[in-house]
Each structure stands twice: as structure tokens, then as C-alpha cells.
Amino acid sequence: GAKTTTTDSNGEFTISDIAPGSGIKVEFSKPGYIGTQKIVTVNSGRTTFCSTSLYVPFIQNFASGMAYTVMQQSNLIDLPANAFVDAQGNPFTGLVQAQVMFFDPTLAENLNAFPGTFSGIQTDGTETMFESYGFFNATFVDNANPSSQLNLASGKQATITSYISPALQASAPATIPTWYYDSAAGKWKEQGSANRIGNTYVCNVSHFSFWNFDHPIVPADLSTLTGRIVYDDGAGNLTPAPGAQVVATGVSYGGYNVSYSDAGGLFSISVKASAQAKLQAFSGENSSPFTNSITTPGAGASLEVGDIIISDLSFTL
């Protein structure tokens, strides 16, 4: 809705009086940074934890009439000449400003910038969990008027070359679906595919937003972690933490999943099978440390991980 707030000196924020529900979109933005969006579930009488990382984009300027390659390290965006139109669809002439960032999904701070959730809508309309082999954001504006965003002209395409992280090269498939983020729907949507050439993925796109190289995780590739989230009052007394949020973040794969504990603090969360992941729990402003890396069980199997302890820092005045 129209509820907004500003982060404090620690980057922390609170937005109150949110109607309970799922699929709630939280927009993050700051001038000079790449904005992003998170999707959260708000439970009645509970505080939902939500965080993100904002990045300063890599910026290059070039003349609109020339073919140009935006290069960020080993990542490339090859653009044809006269590629852009303005918001009204008129051919743009002038200096184009490219605002670009490619993200390595094996880095936790990069995963925290990932918009939406690690699932998307396939071309057949079904939704699937997926793991990322890299994602990027690209925005092009009129350099003389940076608030004026430019779009690729009809019939024009850009060729994307995205470097695959060394940690993912052994498992990276030869062909992978490409997905764009629809911020209005709060969903990733499959559109096209990329081919692996050496240690890069190469694809063509006809519009810009967040794009993602994601491999679907089918049910046969999933396993389950179960456990309990508890509060520690500082005196060694452990009590169940109902409605706490638990996040499973891939260590050997690029992705995360979210679940919530029941009235007894018990949780169950889906993860990639035969991989490594770590868990962290949140309850309001309190959180647990990350667990050690957990080797997840084989496909279809379940592993009990025991208690995840949140230090209860709340008090009654």
C-alpha cells in the first residue's frame, strides 16, 4: 500500500499496522542505489523480519547512435546501434547512461539483494523453486535527465554474457532458463534460455529489469530439514518460539527458502537435496546466529537438526 518509512543510522526500520497476509511486497530504494523488492508473509500479532542489500550500480555513458558493450569485469551487455526509445516510444538520440550490476549468487550479501523469492512461474504457468547461477540488473537512462528511463526499441535485442561463479561451474548445466522479475506481480517469470559458452551464460533479452539464470529444482531434487525454534531467556530456560521465521540459505547452491514455526516452535523447510545449507531463525527484532553448514539428506528424505536458539532480548516495562 502507501505505508513508508526511512531507515535509521543502523539501516533498521519498522512498519507497523500491516494487515496480515502472504505475498506482501516490500520495496527498498535509495537515490544512487539499485532498488529491490522482497515478498513477505505477515502473521497476526507477530513481527516479520525482512532485510536486503542495496548496491551502487556500475555506470558507463555512451552515444545512442553507436553499438556499444557495457563491461563489468567478465560480464557483458552488447547493445546494437540506435537501441533505445524514450518512455513515449520515440527514438532516443543523445548520451545514454548505463546503470548495471551483475551478482554472484554464492555471496550471502548478493543473495540478500535478490528480489522476490527463489521461485518463479514457468512458461507453462506452473510455479517452481529454483537455484540461481547468476543474476543482474540493468537500467538505461537519458544522461541529461537521469529520471527519464529508456527502453529497448521494438525489434532490438541486447546480448548478455554472464560469468559463472567458480563455485558453480562444476554443476552449471549446458542450457538454463532465463527469468525476468515482474515487480508489479512480485514474481519471477521464465522467458527464454541461455547457453553455456565456456564459463559464461549467453542469452538475448528484449527488455531490461532484474534478470536471472535459474535452474528449476523439481520435487525429486528436494529434501526437508526439521527442528524446533526456542527462546533462551539468558538463564538457560528454553521455551518454544511460535510463529518464528526460519530461513534456509544455500551454501553450495544459490538460493534460499523461508518457513515458519508452529505453536510448539516446530518447523519444516524444503531445501536442495544432497547439498549444503545453513539455517537462521528470526522472531521480531531477535534472531539466532547461523547454524553450521548442514549437509542436506538425499531427495525425498528428512533430517532433524534439533533446536535453533534465539536469545530473547525483549523485556516488560
Side-chain angles (χ1 to χ4, degrees), residues 98-149:
Q99 303 172 1
V100 173
M101 178 63 71
F102 284 79
F103 297 88
D104 177 353
T106 64
L107 301 178
E109 61 270 27
N110 285 356
L111 273 188
N112 209 29
F114 192 85
T117 62
F118 275 87
S119 66
I121 300 173
Q122 300 178 104
T123 53
D124 63 4
T126 61
E127 189 158 355
T128 181
M129 290 180 61
F130 50 48
E131 58 178 312
S132 177
Y133 283 82
F135 62 103
F136 72 94
N137 179 271
T139 301
F140 296 86
V141 300
D142 179 355
N143 186 67
N145 181 18
S147 64
S148 177
Q149 187 165 326

Coordinates of all heavy atoms in Angstrom, one line a residue, residues 98-149:
A98 N 24.3 4.0 -18.7 CA 24.0 2.6 -18.3 C 24.3 2.4 -16.8 O 25.3 2.9 -16.3 CB 24.9 1.6 -19.1
Q99 N 23.3 1.8 -16.1 CA 23.4 1.5 -14.6 C 23.3 0.0 -14.5 O 22.2 -0.5 -14.6 CB 22.4 2.3 -13.8 CG 22.4 3.8 -14.0 CD 21.2 4.5 -13.4 OE1 20.4 3.9 -12.8 NE2 21.2 5.8 -13.6
V100 N 24.4 -0.7 -14.2 CA 24.4 -2.1 -14.3 C 25.1 -2.7 -13.1 O 26.0 -2.1 -12.5 CB 25.2 -2.5 -15.6 CG1 25.4 -4.0 -15.6 CG2 24.5 -2.0 -16.8
M101 N 24.6 -3.9 -12.7 CA 25.3 -4.7 -11.6 C 25.0 -6.2 -11.9 O 23.8 -6.6 -12.0 CB 24.8 -4.3 -10.2 CG 25.4 -5.1 -9.1 SD 27.2 -4.9 -9.0 CE 27.4 -3.2 -8.4
F102 N 26.1 -7.0 -12.0 CA 26.0 -8.4 -12.0 C 26.3 -9.0 -10.6 O 27.2 -8.5 -10.0 CB 26.9 -9.0 -13.1 CG 26.5 -8.8 -14.5 CD1 26.6 -7.6 -15.1 CD2 25.9 -9.9 -15.2 CE1 26.2 -7.4 -16.4 CE2 25.5 -9.7 -16.5 CZ 25.7 -8.5 -17.1
F103 N 25.5 -10.0 -10.2 CA 25.6 -10.5 -8.9 C 26.1 -12.0 -8.9 O 25.5 -12.8 -9.6 CB 24.3 -10.4 -8.1 CG 23.8 -9.0 -7.9 CD1 23.0 -8.4 -8.9 CD2 24.1 -8.3 -6.8 CE1 22.5 -7.1 -8.7 CE2 23.6 -7.0 -6.6 CZ 22.8 -6.4 -7.6
D104 N 27.1 -12.3 -8.0 CA 27.5 -13.7 -7.8 C 26.6 -14.3 -6.7 O 26.7 -13.8 -5.6 CB 29.0 -13.7 -7.4 CG 29.5 -15.1 -7.0 OD1 28.7 -16.0 -7.0 OD2 30.7 -15.2 -6.8
P105 N 25.8 -15.3 -7.0 CA 24.8 -15.7 -6.0 C 25.4 -16.6 -4.9 O 24.7 -17.0 -4.0 CB 23.8 -16.6 -6.8 CG 24.7 -17.1 -8.0 CD 25.6 -16.0 -8.3
T106 N 26.7 -16.9 -5.0 CA 27.4 -17.6 -3.9 C 27.7 -16.7 -2.7 O 28.2 -17.2 -1.7 CB 28.6 -18.4 -4.4 OG1 29.6 -17.4 -4.8 CG2 28.3 -19.3 -5.6
L107 N 27.6 -15.4 -2.9 CA 27.9 -14.5 -1.8 C 26.7 -14.1 -1.1 O 25.7 -13.6 -1.7 CB 28.6 -13.2 -2.4 CG 29.9 -13.5 -3.2 CD1 30.5 -12.2 -3.7 CD2 31.0 -14.1 -2.3
A108 N 26.7 -14.2 0.2 CA 25.4 -14.0 1.0 C 24.9 -12.6 0.8 O 23.7 -12.4 0.7 CB 25.7 -14.3 2.5
E109 N 25.8 -11.6 0.8 CA 25.3 -10.2 0.6 C 24.6 -10.0 -0.7 O 23.8 -9.2 -0.9 CB 26.4 -9.2 0.9 CG 27.6 -9.3 -0.1 CD 28.7 -10.3 0.4 OE1 28.4 -11.2 1.2 OE2 29.9 -10.1 0.0
N110 N 25.1 -10.7 -1.7 CA 24.5 -10.6 -3.1 C 23.1 -11.3 -3.0 O 22.1 -10.8 -3.6 CB 25.3 -11.3 -4.1 CG 26.5 -10.4 -4.5 OD1 26.7 -9.3 -4.0 ND2 27.4 -10.9 -5.3
L111 N 23.0 -12.5 -2.4 CA 21.7 -13.1 -2.3 C 20.7 -12.2 -1.6 O 19.5 -12.3 -1.9 CB 21.8 -14.4 -1.5 CG 22.2 -15.7 -2.2 CD1 22.1 -16.9 -1.3 CD2 21.4 -15.9 -3.5
N112 N 21.2 -11.4 -0.7 CA 20.3 -10.6 0.1 C 19.7 -9.4 -0.8 O 18.7 -8.8 -0.4 CB 21.0 -10.0 1.3 CG 20.0 -9.6 2.4 OD1 19.0 -10.3 2.6 ND2 20.4 -8.7 3.2
A113 N 20.3 -9.2 -1.9 CA 19.8 -8.2 -2.9 C 18.9 -8.8 -3.9 O 18.2 -8.1 -4.7 CB 21.0 -7.6 -3.7
F114 N 18.7 -10.1 -3.9 CA 17.9 -10.8 -4.8 C 16.4 -10.4 -4.6 O 15.9 -10.5 -3.5 CB 18.0 -12.3 -4.6 CG 17.4 -13.2 -5.7 CD1 18.2 -13.5 -6.8 CD2 16.2 -13.7 -5.5 CE1 17.6 -14.3 -7.8 CE2 15.6 -14.6 -6.5 CZ 16.4 -14.9 -7.6
P115 N 15.7 -10.0 -5.6 CA 14.3 -9.6 -5.4 C 13.4 -10.8 -5.4 O 13.7 -11.8 -6.0 CB 14.0 -8.7 -6.7 CG 15.0 -9.2 -7.7 CD 16.2 -9.7 -7.0
G116 N 12.2 -10.6 -4.7 CA 11.2 -11.6 -4.7 C 11.6 -12.8 -3.9 O 12.3 -12.7 -2.8
T117 N 11.3 -14.0 -4.4 CA 11.6 -15.3 -3.7 C 12.4 -16.1 -4.7 O 12.4 -15.9 -5.9 CB 10.4 -16.0 -3.2 OG1 9.6 -16.3 -4.3 CG2 9.6 -15.1 -2.3
F118 N 12.9 -17.2 -4.2 CA 13.6 -18.2 -5.1 C 12.6 -19.2 -5.7 O 12.8 -20.4 -5.5 CB 14.8 -18.8 -4.4 CG 16.0 -18.0 -4.4 CD1 16.2 -17.0 -3.4 CD2 17.0 -18.1 -5.4 CE1 17.4 -16.2 -3.4 CE2 18.1 -17.3 -5.5 CZ 18.3 -16.4 -4.5
S119 N 11.7 -18.6 -6.4 CA 10.7 -19.4 -7.1 C 10.2 -18.6 -8.3 O 10.3 -17.3 -8.2 CB 9.6 -19.9 -6.2 OG 8.8 -18.8 -5.8
G120 N 9.7 -19.2 -9.3 CA 9.2 -18.5 -10.4 C 8.2 -19.2 -11.2 O 7.9 -20.4 -11.0
I121 N 7.5 -18.5 -12.1 CA 6.4 -19.0 -12.9 C 7.0 -19.5 -14.3 O 7.6 -18.6 -15.0 CB 5.3 -18.0 -13.1 CG1 4.7 -17.6 -11.8 CG2 4.2 -18.6 -14.1 CD1 3.7 -16.5 -11.9
Q122 N 6.9 -20.7 -14.6 CA 7.4 -21.3 -15.8 C 6.5 -20.9 -17.0 O 5.4 -20.4 -16.8 CB 7.6 -22.8 -15.7 CG 8.5 -23.2 -14.6 CD 8.7 -24.7 -14.4 OE1 9.7 -25.3 -14.8 NE2 7.7 -25.3 -13.8
T123 N 7.0 -21.2 -18.2 CA 6.2 -20.8 -19.4 C 4.9 -21.6 -19.5 O 3.9 -21.1 -20.1 CB 7.0 -21.1 -20.7 OG1 7.5 -22.4 -20.7 CG2 8.2 -20.1 -20.8
D124 N 4.8 -22.7 -18.8 CA 3.5 -23.5 -18.8 C 2.6 -23.0 -17.7 O 1.5 -23.6 -17.5 CB 3.7 -25.0 -18.7 CG 4.4 -25.4 -17.4 OD1 4.6 -24.5 -16.5 OD2 4.7 -26.6 -17.2
G125 N 2.9 -22.0 -16.9 CA 2.1 -21.4 -15.9 C 2.3 -22.0 -14.5 O 1.7 -21.5 -13.6
T126 N 3.1 -23.1 -14.4 CA 3.3 -23.7 -13.1 C 4.4 -23.0 -12.4 O 5.3 -22.3 -13.0 CB 3.7 -25.2 -13.2 OG1 4.9 -25.3 -14.0 CG2 2.5 -25.9 -13.9
E127 N 4.4 -23.0 -11.1 CA 5.5 -22.4 -10.3 C 6.5 -23.4 -9.8 O 6.1 -24.5 -9.4 CB 4.9 -21.6 -9.1 CG 5.9 -20.7 -8.4 CD 5.2 -19.5 -7.7 OE1 4.0 -19.4 -7.8 OE2 5.9 -18.8 -7.0
T128 N 7.7 -23.0 -9.7 CA 8.8 -23.9 -9.3 C 9.8 -23.2 -8.5 O 10.0 -22.0 -8.6 CB 9.5 -24.6 -10.5 OG1 10.5 -25.5 -10.1 CG2 10.2 -23.5 -11.4
M129 N 10.4 -23.9 -7.5 CA 11.6 -23.4 -6.8 C 12.8 -23.5 -7.8 O 12.8 -24.3 -8.7 CB 11.9 -24.2 -5.6 CG 10.9 -24.1 -4.4 SD 11.4 -25.1 -3.0 CE 13.0 -24.4 -2.6
F130 N 13.7 -22.6 -7.6 CA 14.9 -22.7 -8.4 C 16.2 -22.2 -7.7 O 16.1 -21.7 -6.6 CB 14.7 -21.9 -9.7 CG 14.3 -20.4 -9.6 CD1 14.9 -19.6 -8.7 CD2 13.3 -19.9 -10.4 CE1 14.5 -18.2 -8.5 CE2 12.8 -18.6 -10.3 CZ 13.4 -17.8 -9.4
E131 N 17.3 -22.5 -8.3 CA 18.6 -22.1 -7.8 C 19.3 -21.2 -8.8 O 19.2 -21.5 -10.0 CB 19.5 -23.3 -7.4 CG 19.8 -24.2 -8.5 CD 20.7 -25.3 -8.1 OE1 21.7 -25.0 -7.5 OE2 20.4 -26.5 -8.4
S132 N 19.9 -20.1 -8.4 CA 20.5 -19.1 -9.3 C 21.9 -19.5 -9.6 O 22.7 -19.8 -8.7 CB 20.4 -17.7 -8.6 OG 21.0 -16.8 -9.5
Y133 N 22.2 -19.3 -10.9 CA 23.6 -19.4 -11.3 C 24.1 -18.0 -11.7 O 25.1 -17.9 -12.4 CB 23.7 -20.3 -12.5 CG 23.7 -21.8 -12.1 CD1 22.5 -22.4 -11.8 CD2 24.9 -22.5 -11.9 CE1 22.5 -23.7 -11.3 CE2 24.9 -23.8 -11.4 CZ 23.7 -24.4 -11.2 OH 23.6 -25.7 -10.7
G134 N 23.4 -17.0 -11.3 CA 23.8 -15.6 -11.5 C 22.6 -14.7 -11.9 O 21.7 -15.2 -12.5
F135 N 22.6 -13.5 -11.5 CA 21.6 -12.6 -11.8 C 22.1 -11.2 -12.0 O 23.3 -10.9 -11.6 CB 20.4 -12.6 -10.8 CG 20.8 -12.2 -9.4 CD1 20.4 -10.9 -8.9 CD2 21.5 -13.0 -8.5 CE1 20.7 -10.5 -7.6 CE2 21.8 -12.6 -7.2 CZ 21.4 -11.4 -6.8
F136 N 21.4 -10.3 -12.7 CA 21.9 -9.0 -12.9 C 20.7 -8.0 -13.0 O 19.6 -8.4 -13.3 CB 22.7 -8.9 -14.2 CG 22.0 -9.0 -15.5 CD1 21.5 -7.9 -16.2 CD2 21.7 -10.3 -16.0 CE1 20.8 -8.0 -17.4 CE2 21.0 -10.4 -17.2 CZ 20.6 -9.3 -17.9
N137 N 21.0 -6.7 -12.8 CA 20.1 -5.7 -13.0 C 20.7 -4.7 -14.0 O 21.9 -4.3 -13.9 CB 19.8 -5.0 -11.7 CG 18.8 -3.8 -11.9 OD1 19.2 -2.7 -12.1 ND2 17.5 -4.1 -11.8
A138 N 19.9 -4.2 -15.0 CA 20.4 -3.2 -15.9 C 19.3 -2.2 -16.1 O 18.1 -2.5 -16.4 CB 20.7 -3.9 -17.2
T139 N 19.6 -0.9 -16.0 CA 18.8 0.2 -16.2 C 19.5 1.2 -17.1 O 20.7 1.4 -17.0 CB 18.3 0.9 -14.9 OG1 17.7 0.0 -14.1 CG2 17.4 2.1 -15.2
F140 N 18.8 1.8 -18.1 CA 19.4 2.7 -19.0 C 18.5 4.0 -19.0 O 17.3 3.9 -19.1 CB 19.5 2.2 -20.5 CG 20.4 1.0 -20.5 CD1 19.9 -0.3 -20.3 CD2 21.7 1.1 -20.9 CE1 20.7 -1.4 -20.3 CE2 22.6 0.0 -20.9 CZ 22.1 -1.2 -20.7
V141 N 19.2 5.2 -18.8 CA 18.5 6.4 -18.7 C 19.2 7.5 -19.6 O 20.3 7.3 -20.1 CB 18.5 6.9 -17.3 CG1 17.8 5.9 -16.3 CG2 19.9 7.2 -16.8
D142 N 18.4 8.6 -19.8 CA 19.0 9.7 -20.5 C 20.0 10.4 -19.6 O 19.6 10.8 -18.5 CB 17.8 10.7 -20.9 CG 18.3 11.9 -21.6 OD1 19.5 12.2 -21.7 OD2 17.4 12.7 -21.9
N143 N 21.3 10.4 -20.0 CA 22.3 11.0 -19.2 C 22.0 12.5 -18.8 O 22.4 12.9 -17.7 CB 23.7 10.9 -19.9 CG 24.8 11.3 -18.9 OD1 25.1 10.7 -18.0 ND2 25.4 12.5 -19.3
A144 N 21.3 13.2 -19.7 CA 21.0 14.6 -19.4 C 19.8 14.7 -18.4 O 19.6 15.8 -17.8 CB 20.7 15.3 -20.7
N145 N 19.0 13.7 -18.3 CA 17.9 13.6 -17.4 C 17.7 12.2 -16.8 O 16.9 11.4 -17.3 CB 16.6 14.0 -18.2 CG 15.4 14.1 -17.4 OD1 15.4 14.1 -16.1 ND2 14.2 14.0 -18.0
P146 N 18.5 11.9 -15.8 CA 18.5 10.5 -15.3 C 17.2 10.0 -14.8 O 17.1 8.8 -14.6 CB 19.5 10.6 -14.1 CG 20.4 11.8 -14.5 CD 19.5 12.8 -15.1
S147 N 16.2 10.9 -14.6 CA 14.9 10.4 -14.2 C 14.1 9.8 -15.4 O 13.0 9.2 -15.2 CB 14.1 11.5 -13.5 OG 13.8 12.5 -14.4
S148 N 14.6 10.0 -16.6 CA 13.9 9.6 -17.8 C 14.5 8.2 -18.2 O 15.6 8.2 -18.8 CB 14.1 10.6 -18.9 OG 13.5 10.2 -20.1
Q149 N 13.8 7.2 -18.0 CA 14.3 5.8 -18.3 C 14.1 5.5 -19.7 O 13.1 5.9 -20.4 CB 13.6 4.8 -17.4 CG 14.1 3.4 -17.5 CD 13.7 2.5 -16.4 OE1 13.5 2.9 -15.3 NE2 13.5 1.2 -16.8

